[in-house]
Amino acid sequence: MFLATAMFAAALDLTAIEVEVKMHPENYRELLERFEKADTTMTANELRKLYFGYSFTTDYDPRETFPEVEAAYEAGDYEEALRLAEKALKLNPLSLDLNVLALASADRMRDTGKMGEKILYYGIRADLVATAILESGQGTSAASPFSVIASADMQRLLRNVLGIEQIVDRTKVGGIDAIKVTLPGNDRRHILYFDMSREHQYFQSHPIH
């Protein structure tokens, strides 16, 4: 179903988004503030500007990872995982990876009766970011890939949003990543295409010395 929905995605114009963010930073800050309030009225176009526009701000750093969040979650310390995720989200609010981990941690503690608002809040935020990615392309060809601004978001989208059971292989088609996967309840292998050019461009312009 997600593939059929993605077929209607408009072409992603990163150049136009870059110009918008750099020429009108106040408009971008307004979009970010709405996202941080889990505003469900944001349009698909606004979400694209929000998510991809983040990669044109000075806060963007795809090298910044937070392995301690998933480590706490995998260890079953959901309270600590949520605390760490919320701390990390102050530094990287548009991370699908972190928003999903915050949601999953809160959901694991739903029996406390105190997590309802956080489950709803992070659920909306994760959905908003996932929508921006899924609306970026069809994902079924190198000519119209899904775009992400961090490889961690691709991994989280595959695992938690699309429910991919197994990544079989990974190759390059030009500058596009071709990920061979098996879909839930289907033994057939499919190839999903991802454009991670924003992350690659960052690495090239910020070499490690």
Side-chain angles (χ1 to χ4, degrees), residues 74-96:
E74 293 298 333
D77 191 346
Y78 305 122
E79 185 174 353
E80 178 67 359
L82 179 58
R83 185 188 73 80
L84 289 171
E86 290 183 324
K87 181 180 178 181
L89 281 166
K90 287 182 171 60
L91 301 174
N92 189 357
L94 273 300
S95 168
L96 178 62

Side-chain angles (χ1 to χ4, degrees), residues 42-133:
M42 297 185 76
T43 66
N45 190 46
E46 288 173 333
L47 290 175
R48 285 148 65 100
K49 288 180 183 178
L50 173 74
Y51 177 72
F52 296 103
Y54 187 73
S55 70
F56 297 107
T57 70
T58 56
D59 292 328
Y60 175 64
D61 184 354
R63 286 204 184 102
E64 193 171 50
T65 59
F66 304 90
E68 67 277 9
V69 181
E70 186 151 14
Y73 181 82
E74 293 298 333
D77 191 346
Y78 305 122
E79 185 174 353
E80 178 67 359
L82 179 58
R83 185 188 73 80
L84 289 171
E86 290 183 324
K87 181 180 178 181
L89 281 166
K90 287 182 171 60
L91 301 174
N92 189 357
L94 273 300
S95 168
L96 178 62
D97 186 39
L98 290 172
N99 278 287
V100 168
L101 282 169
L103 169 62
S105 299
D107 189 58
R108 288 285 191 170
M109 297 186 287
R110 67 166 54 241
D111 290 345
T112 65
K114 301 176 181 179
M115 289 290 134
E117 288 187 5
K118 286 185 182 288
I119 292 170
L120 177 62
Y121 176 67
Y122 289 114
I124 291 172
R125 283 174 51 135
D127 281 346
L128 293 176
V129 177
T131 296
I133 296 171

Side-chain angles (χ1 to χ4, degrees), residues 15 41 55 121 124 126 128 132 134 144 146 159 175:
T15 300
T41 68
S55 70
Y121 176 67
I124 291 172
L128 293 176
L134 291 173
S144 182
F146 294 134
R159 189 194 316 177

